[in-house]
Amino acid sequence: MKDVYPSRHHGPAAALPRLEPCAWQPWSADAPLTRQQYDQWCRDGFLVLEGLFSAEEVALFREELGRLSGDTRLLARPEAITEANTGALRSLFAPHRHSPVYDALTRDPRLLRLARFLLDDEVYIHQARVNFKPGLSGKGFYWHSDFETWHAEDGMPRMRALSASVSLTDNTPFNGPLMLVPGSHRTFISCPGETPARHYEQSLKAQQLGTPPAEFVQQLCTQGGIRQATGKAGSIVLFDCNVLHGSSENISPLPRSNIFFVFNSVRNSLRRPYAAPAPRPEYLAARGAPEALREASPDYAALVAAASPLPEAVGS
Ligand code: 6CS
Ligand code: FE
């Protein structure tokens, strides 16, 4: 299959035009977005939706986060990525595989309807992760396009995927919120360099390869500006797979913890990596025949109660 988004092929960096629509169907009155939100999505490549989840639901998601981040077996697995400088937990990949609460969240209509509408297809989870970004020491994520990595290293053919980041803590101007470049989703930056074997063992701590050279970051930021995706806990940031984004380190005392779900069209499932010696592990990129997600409105309180460790029996 012709690689329409060549990157990391030894050649110089280049700006290529996006070939896919930003939204895969026109707006209609029964869309899960207002016309204004739809137009903003197409123009900018991202959308902040406030107050999607209640304070009670966020508290339940946080309780589950505490359970997972305290699970020593899980922390010893490769899905747990630590900060290079402090060893603190930086990201936990595939949290939905280790949590019935987060697995249910992937089927919550408030997320699933948006993904299915904008991608105009059945969808599955390509990747999920919690980025913890702890207070005082949480490191940042340099400017990048997720699609560049998912295309080069996972074999994602086309731009028909989006991320939904659910804020589990307030995302303020001070604790390293996501920064996005409006309109950058319409340009694919073909990056220089060659993907080494097992690149993810380094890139998930601090990505250097597959990031656009400075002049391209400057050009896209000059054209579109930079927007901080701030919002209260319970808000979400929807962003296109190719929008240029990053986040600064967090030196505030407050953590900036978000859970990200990447919804991919079932027609866009992974092929062989376009620019890497071998596919990345399943916890980074779901492979094989995709199974379309079915909507469900779960009882998060019951799921959290069932998942939480039983209190030590008295006198045990
Ligand atoms: O390599 C990846 O798939 C991950 N890297 C970044 C910086 N964002 C997307 C994704 O979690
Ligand atoms: Fe990213």
Side-chain angles (χ1 to χ4, degrees):
M1 191 171 151
K2 180 174 171 357
D3 184 359
V4 294
Y5 291 117
S7 190
R8 310 188 198 180
H9 285 309
H10 317 293
L16 308 175
R18 178 192 186 106
L19 303 172
E20 294 80 9
C22 303
W24 285 73
Q25 62 180 305
W27 185 82
S28 59
D30 59 354
L33 288 170
T34 65
R35 176 73 216 226
Q36 192 252 342
Q37 288 170 331
Y38 176 86
D39 292 345
Q40 195 177 325
W41 167 265
C42 295
R43 186 193 64 216
D44 297 340
F46 62 91
L47 207 50
V48 177
L49 299 174
E50 289 275 4
L52 222 67
F53 295 96
S54 69
E56 293 72 26
E57 288 173 315
V58 170
L60 290 166
F61 298 154
R62 293 274 296 274
E63 187 178 335
E64 181 66 351
L65 194 57
R67 183 181 75 83
L68 291 180
S69 48
D71 181 338
T72 48
R73 281 170 305 111
L74 189 51
L75 297 180
R77 291 174 62 100
E79 292 93 324
I81 310 292
T82 54
E83 296 283 9
N85 56 341
T86 60
L89 194 53
R90 173 175 167 91
S91 303
L92 178 68
F93 280 87
H96 61 309
R97 295 264 177 273
H98 302 280
S99 161
V101 180
Y102 293 156
D103 181 55
L105 188 48
T106 64
R107 291 190 296 278
D108 191 302
R110 290 168 285 187
L111 299 180
L112 199 45
R113 280 190 195 146
L114 291 165
R116 289 171 63 188
F117 172 75
L118 290 169
L119 303 175
D120 190 21
D121 202 359
E122 296 296 336
V123 295
Y124 71 99
I125 298 294
H126 159 68
Q127 177 186 100
R129 67 195 181 277
V130 175
N131 280 350
F132 287 82
K133 201 176 280 195
L136 299 176
S137 63
K139 287 297 170 216
F141 295 78
Y142 187 70
W143 294 112
H144 64 282
S145 150
D146 292 341
F147 177 76
E148 194 279 341
T149 292
W150 298 339
H151 182 74
E153 299 192 53
D154 299 332
M156 183 183 282
R158 304 304 288 262
M159 295 182 186
R160 194 168 186 174
L162 59 81
S163 291
S165 166
V166 181
S167 301
L168 302 181
T169 61
D170 290 351
N171 283 219
T172 76
F174 314 108
N175 64 349
L178 203 56
M179 295 189 291
L180 305 109
V181 177
S184 60
H185 60 307
R186 288 192 290 269
T187 302
F188 177 77
I189 305 296
S190 174
C191 297
E194 185 177 339
T195 312
R198 307 168 73 86
H199 175 231
Y200 55 90
E201 289 177 350
Q202 174 271 325
S203 69
L204 296 175
K205 286 180 181 286
Q207 185 178 359
Q208 265 110 28
L209 193 78
T211 54
E215 61 271 25
F216 290 91
V217 175
Q218 280 154 358
Q219 179 193 341
L220 289 170
C221 291
T222 304
Q223 283 166 1
I226 299 177
R227 202 86 55 77
Q228 276 189 332
T230 53
K232 287 271 179 220
S235 59
I236 71 163
V237 186
L238 277 186
F239 55 106
D240 177 83
C241 59
N242 185 51
V243 74
L244 189 66
H245 65 286
S247 61
S248 304
E249 66 178 4
N250 178 13
I251 58 168
S252 86
L254 300 173
R256 189 230 69 182
S257 302
N258 297 347
I259 183 164
F260 294 75
F261 295 113
V262 181
F263 294 97
N264 190 23
S265 150
V266 293
R267 290 182 177 85
N268 196 38
S269 56
L270 305 187
R271 292 174 168 74
R272 274 199 321 278
Y274 288 86
R280 298 198 300 175
E282 277 282 344
Y283 64 83
L284 292 178
R287 308 196 73 84
E291 196 178 318
L293 286 164
R294 290 280 161 260
E295 280 188 19
S297 293
D299 177 346
Y300 290 116
L303 287 169
V304 168
S308 300
L310 293 174
E312 286 298 310
V314 173
S316 61

